[in-house]
Amino acid sequence: LIHFFSAGTNHVQTTPIYKDTTIALTTSSGIHGPQISEWVLLTSLVSSHAYHTLHSWQTQHLWGKQSQTSRLRTIRDNVGQRLAVLGYGSIGRQVAHVAKAMGMDVIAFTASPRPTPESKRDGGFIVPGTGDPDGTIPSAWYSGLDTASLHHFLAQDIDWLVVSVPLTTQTHHLLGAPEFDLLAKRNAYVSNISRGQIIVQADLIAALTAYADADADAPPAAEGAPDPPAVVVAEQGAGRKGLRGAALDVTDPEPLPEGDPLWDAPNCIVTPHISGLSVMYADRAFQVLEVNLTRRGEGKGLINEVQRERGY
């Protein structure tokens, strides 16, 4: 038995141990949900609630002008918005848990169909009090390994897409221009906590730029008009092109080169693959190993065991 502290094993899939042995491999999937879901929520709210502007005012010791703060009242909260979780594993389930508490509708996408209550349950490690153990949070489930199935899912009036699928040969560059065009229907926000290679980065930058360019193309204010607002919040789904924002804890490549255009993509938050860090990380990873050592001693099957044929 080899136990990994990571949720994925893509970094060892070309090694002899992975390819040429039958040694049981287990991951620490399930331990990342609490901290990563908080990162997902943090970065989304920083964007939707114009925190960068508010922090800028504070550092300048400025009390926002009425013409600026009045536009902040047009910010839309999350109640009634639709969160789509692409990859409904332990992390996606905890994001769904938090989103549901905020009044959001949640839909889920998995590689294989989950038609029965039993198939929707989470059979991996679960931090007590978190996640969606019985799979009851999503209002609808979607599945498939083909482009048509993915596109059907992405066409479901999505306001916020969370990407949490494992990186495999099938998910490499899973999301590009055609997929972002579908998400542009509601100018969705995209959060990626999976792997950078799942997204065609240049296409994401283009989609973010298309949305931001709508502000640049707006006519100038008339002479004598009030000061322009510090934050412009467009109505979602009003015919505006592109994606309204993104939060990326993973990039392609990593580290992201200093001159990469992603750093300056509009309405894009980039962090250096740190969303999973927590003082509880090692403790919970060892808890998974402890559970599996106990189960092995009792002759039971392992949790979080890697299925080599599917890549995770």
Side-chain angles (χ1 to χ4, degrees):
L1 169 63
I2 299 177
H3 181 63
F4 291 87
F5 268 36
S6 58
T9 56
N10 57 287
H11 57 295
V12 298
Q13 287 176 1
T14 60
T15 65
I17 285 178
Y18 191 97
K19 296 191 302 178
D20 303 331
T21 78
T22 58
I23 297 173
L25 308 176
T26 59
T27 72
S28 294
S29 178
I31 74 169
H32 308 83
Q35 62 269 37
I36 292 184
S37 65
E38 291 176 9
W39 179 94
V40 169
L41 181 61
L42 164 72
T43 50
S44 171
L45 293 179
V46 161
S47 178
S48 66
H49 286 257
Y51 176 76
H52 294 307
T53 295
L54 300 177
H55 184 257
S56 174
W57 289 348
Q58 180 178 348
T59 58
Q60 298 175 67
H61 298 188
L62 294 177
W63 195 262
K65 297 179 182 179
Q66 180 63 30
S67 60
Q68 296 171 315
T69 58
S70 62
R71 290 303 296 269
L72 291 172
R73 299 189 186 99
T74 67
I75 292 173
R76 184 181 175 191
D77 58 48
N78 282 317
V79 176
Q81 294 204 57
R82 173 165 288 171
L83 170 77
V85 182
L86 181 60
Y88 203 62
S90 61
I91 296 171
R93 286 170 185 255
Q94 176 60 7
V95 173
H97 184 117
V98 175
K100 188 70 174 179
M102 293 193 298
M104 300 189 75
D105 176 51
V106 178
I107 60 175
F109 188 92
T110 55
S112 57
R114 306 294 178 93
T116 66
E118 180 61 32
S119 66
K120 293 176 181 176
R121 293 193 178 101
D122 185 355
F125 180 81
I126 302 173
V127 176
T130 71
D132 182 16
D134 295 324
T136 57
I137 290 177
S139 62
W141 289 69
Y142 300 82
S143 64
L145 295 173
D146 58 292
T147 301
S149 296
L150 174 64
H151 285 188
H152 178 58
F153 172 69
L154 296 178
Q156 303 303 311
D157 294 330
I158 293 169
D159 296 296
W160 181 10
L161 177 72
V162 173
V163 182
S164 55
V165 293
L167 177 62
T168 67
T169 55
Q170 291 173 312
T171 61
H172 184 267
H173 283 180
L174 185 67
L175 301 175
E179 291 70 38
F180 297 142
D181 285 344
L182 290 169
L183 292 171
K185 180 180 180 182
R186 297 283 299 165
N187 304 122
Y189 192 85
V190 174
S191 301
N192 186 11
I193 49 79
S194 179
R195 292 293 184 269
Q197 296 93 325
I198 288 170
I199 287 177
V200 181
Q201 217 153 261
D203 292 351
L204 175 63
I205 295 172
L208 294 169
T209 302
Y211 183 87
D213 282 350
D215 288 336
D217 293 339
E223 185 176 352
D227 292 339
V231 179
V232 177
V233 182
E235 182 181 354
Q236 292 168 221
R240 190 169 181 170
K241 295 181 180 179
L243 303 176
R244 71 180 185 275
L248 311 173
D249 190 47
V250 289
T251 63
D252 184 18
E254 292 183 12
L256 190 66
E258 183 179 349
D260 195 287
L262 185 64
W263 288 114
D264 298 313
N267 303 318
C268 185
I269 297 172
V270 178
T271 58
H273 208 147
I274 46 75
S275 64
L277 299 183
S278 166
V279 295
M280 295 300 297
Y281 194 106
D283 182 69
R284 288 171 179 158
F286 278 116
Q287 287 179 37
V288 180
L289 177 59
E290 183 179 5
V291 167
N292 274 332
L293 290 176
T294 300
R295 292 179 68 88
R296 171 157 283 192
E298 296 172 347
K300 297 179 180 179
L302 303 176
I303 64 170
N304 291 4
E305 185 170 4
V306 175
Q307 307 299 314
R308 285 173 167 85
E309 66 278 4
R310 69 178 187 181
Y312 58 95

